[in-house]
Amino acid sequence: MTQSTKNTHLLVYPFSGSGHIIPLLDLTHLLLDRGLTITIVVITANLSLIEPLVSSYPTSLHKLLFPEPEISPAPHPLIGKVISSQKLFQPIVKWFETHPSPPVAIVSDFFLGWTNELANHLGIRRIVFSPSGALGSSIFHALWRDVGEINARNDNGDENFVVSFTEIPNVPELKWWQLSLSHFYKKGDPDMESFRDGMMANMKSWGIIYNTFEEMEGVYIDHIQKQVGHDRVWAIGPLLPDEHGPLVSTGRGGSSAVSPDDLFRWLDRKSDDSVVYICFGSRFTLSEKQMSSLASALELSKVNFILCVKASDSSFIPSGFIDRVGDRGFIVKGWAPQLAILRNRAVGSFVTHCGWNSTLEGVAAGVMMMTWSMGADQYANAKLLVDQLGVGLRVCEGGPESVPDPGKLAQLLDESSSVDRPERVKVKELSQAATKAVKDGTSRRDLDMFTRLLSEL
């Protein structure tokens, strides 16, 4: 702790959902280590995710606890959730006005754009925390800025209509069906306009923090700085716990659905880089047809694999599958200690939905990425991994009706275990760059700069 940071009080406000909360908690941990006092806005449903950190920093991390606001009716559940969060505006103002030493700034998730107005009302700074990468966030901003015009250009609703984002480096192109939430936009609809206003407010905030690093997304960080017109854009990732820390193998994000001892004993019996880890994150699931195709591909292949599925989806695993694959396969029905699995020497490739947390965890672990994007920013993340960085292969993309051919998928799974694949070489290099960025490189520099500017507020 330094004299300059010990009196700096920060309000941290994550958006509900483990994919948003976990990386912001990782950032909170780093800021606590630098001596800041932090109050974190938390709803009762997310208490279990927050408690391990609170117990580690009982005097400097405080909870501002609220019951979960009733979800507002809206064109899409996510938008309803965002709109509902605005009900906390006045309760937070009341808390702030009665606090003996209120925060100098608020760090809030990019879905909480309305907190920019909250910060202005309180006379403090607002910093956006983006749980998406800089490419995904660049596309998201451009999409919502121009959503009316984009929708008008595709007035017949052609699912394969191509949208080119010409101002963004490398001119990413996405098809209409890949553009998250924009299909629900109707000009003048109060909920949609409120959501859009929040997205636009992000670019007017005092600063933006990205969970990424320059070697991976430097060109997009530069682009965001040009868009906002200042250099208070910090790339401080990958935000991951220390390799030897207790949270890696135990409670990061939840309790493991299987005994970690059994899992790692199974991995110990496998040779280096021989295991394919398959997981589709905390929100996305496979349809019965997709699960059937994946299971057939795994049976046809020769690879060792860990298949992680939600407990509710385990009924889609074909009858007799586990017996037929024998010791080649390990099934997790529920939450898995993903970071510890990816960092294990036996794991060489990762079939992933390309959520940003999973993307960073896979890259940081140096495993080859096999992309199966399903929604949100995942199509952009797959483009980055496969087309630009060359660290992955596409195995499938799209919603429940996109079903890969089992024979072709089996071949890709087998090929992924080859040590000669160029993607393996490139991802190992990118992994080393990620480690350097955090230890003594650009991410460490940006985090130090951010902390210093906070202490001067």
Side-chain angles (χ1 to χ4, degrees):
M1 184 186 299
T2 67
Q3 189 63 33
S4 60
T5 61
K6 76 172 186 178
N7 296 318
T8 303
H9 183 188
L10 191 64
L11 184 64
V12 171
Y13 189 173
F15 186 66
S16 186
S18 57
H20 291 252
I21 294 172
I22 291 170
L24 190 43
L25 285 179
D26 287 333
L27 171 62
T28 301
H29 194 172
L30 292 177
L31 295 174
L32 288 164
D33 276 347
R34 280 164 169 71
L36 276 77
T37 298
I38 292 176
T39 298
I40 188 161
V41 178
V42 58
I43 59 171
T44 47
N46 296 323
L47 262 177
S48 62
L49 289 172
I50 310 288
E51 285 299 349
L53 198 55
V54 174
S55 62
S56 298
Y57 295 87
T59 60
S60 51
L61 179 59
H62 310 285
K63 294 171 293 190
L64 182 55
L65 184 62
F66 295 106
E68 186 157 12
E70 190 176 331
I71 304 298
S72 302
H76 187 278
L78 171 62
I79 291 165
K81 207 169 171 183
V82 171
I83 302 298
S84 300
S85 68
Q86 297 174 16
K87 295 172 185 173
L88 295 184
F89 189 107
Q90 282 305 328
I92 292 173
V93 169
K94 187 176 178 183
W95 167 83
F96 183 93
E97 289 174 344
T98 57
H99 198 285
S101 179
V104 297
I106 176 170
V107 176
S108 56
D109 188 281
F110 76 164
F111 277 145
L112 303 173
W114 61 267
T115 57
N116 203 45
E117 184 186 340
L118 172 68
N120 290 338
H121 179 82
L122 298 173
I124 63 176
R125 311 288 194 187
R126 187 253 174 154
I127 300 104
V128 184
F129 177 78
S130 175
S132 290
L135 169 59
S137 146
S138 297
I139 291 172
F140 207 50
H141 169 69
L143 172 65
W144 282 100
R145 184 193 60 202
D146 302 332
V147 65
E149 179 194 329
I150 290 169
N151 284 8
R153 290 209 309 268
N154 186 27
D155 56 358
N156 62 352
D158 176 8
E159 288 290 301
N160 290 310
F161 176 77
V162 174
V163 179
S164 294
F165 295 92
T166 52
E167 74 190 25
I168 300 174
N170 300 312
V171 192
E173 292 185 336
L174 291 172
K175 291 180 180 176
W176 177 253
W177 59 268
Q178 296 174 320
L179 297 178
S180 174
L181 294 179
S182 60
H183 314 83
F184 297 94
Y185 178 75
K186 287 184 177 57
K187 190 173 176 61
D189 178 285
D191 289 336
M192 294 307 304
E193 295 295 356
S194 174
F195 181 80
R196 182 171 180 261
D197 288 347
M199 292 298 103
M200 295 301 98
N202 287 334
M203 304 302 270
K204 297 172 193 162
S205 293
W206 184 71
I208 307 176
I209 292 173
Y210 282 103
N211 181 17
T212 189
F213 59 106
E214 275 193 20
E215 192 87 12
M216 188 167 178
E217 289 199 292
V219 66
Y220 302 112
I221 292 292
D222 292 344
H223 168 70
I224 294 286
Q225 288 184 341
K226 286 174 189 160
Q227 292 286 299
V228 298
H230 58 74
D231 61 0
R232 291 187 302 277
V233 179
W234 302 282
I236 60 171
L239 287 167
L240 299 171
D242 181 80
E243 197 160 350
H244 307 293
L247 289 177
V248 174
S249 59
T250 56
R252 177 173 161 80
S255 300
S256 176
V258 295
S259 159
D261 288 345
D262 291 347
L263 176 58
F264 293 109
R265 266 198 298 271
W266 181 86
L267 278 167
D268 286 344
R269 298 199 297 271
K270 308 303 176 187
S271 54
D272 288 3
D273 294 331
S274 69
V275 175
V276 180
Y277 174 59
I278 305 156
C279 184
F280 299 99
S282 58
R283 281 182 55 221
F284 290 85
T285 59
L286 296 186
S287 67
E288 190 166 5
K289 285 181 182 175
Q290 287 173 325
M291 183 69 81
S292 174
S293 175
L294 173 61
S296 296
L298 288 167
E299 284 190 53
L300 288 167
S301 77
K302 301 179 182 66
V303 296
N304 298 304
F305 64 89
I306 296 170
L307 174 59
C308 179
V309 298
K310 285 190 175 63
S312 57
D313 298 336
S314 59
S315 61
F316 288 168
I317 296 174
S319 175
F321 169 74
I322 296 169
D323 292 332
R324 290 192 295 274
V325 295
D327 192 52
R328 277 202 302 119
F330 193 104
I331 314 294
V332 181
K333 298 175 182 177
W335 191 265
Q338 177 163 297
L339 197 54
I341 291 170
L342 289 169
R343 286 173 169 174
N344 189 282
R345 53 142 198 97
V347 176
S349 50
F350 179 15
V351 177
T352 172
H353 66 309
C354 298
W356 189 246
N357 292 326
S358 291
T359 295
L360 278 180
E361 289 172 8
V363 164
V367 299
M368 180 177 156
M369 311 294 281
M370 304 183 72
T371 72
W372 188 332
S373 18
M374 299 179 182
D377 59 348
Q378 297 159 22
Y379 304 110
N381 299 341
K383 281 181 179 293
L384 180 69
L385 293 170
V386 177
D387 304 331
Q388 295 175 29
L389 298 171
V391 298
L393 287 174
R394 255 184 211 87
V395 297
C396 190
E397 65 177 3
E401 300 310 312
S402 298
V403 180
D405 174 81
K408 288 179 181 173
L409 181 53
Q411 186 179 347
L412 289 172
L413 290 167
D414 284 337
E415 287 175 4
S416 79
S417 62
S418 166
V419 292
D420 301 326
R421 287 215 63 99
E423 294 88 354
R424 275 183 178 273
V425 177
K426 287 183 177 177
V427 79
K428 297 283 187 195
E429 290 169 354
L430 196 58
S431 169
Q432 289 168 2
T435 301
K436 177 168 177 51
V438 170
K439 285 191 173 170
D440 57 10
T442 54
S443 296
R444 174 68 181 265
R445 175 203 69 200
D446 277 16
L447 182 60
D448 289 344
M449 194 182 305
F450 171 66
T451 310
R452 180 176 59 76
L453 287 173
L454 273 187
S455 69
E456 292 171 0
L457 290 178

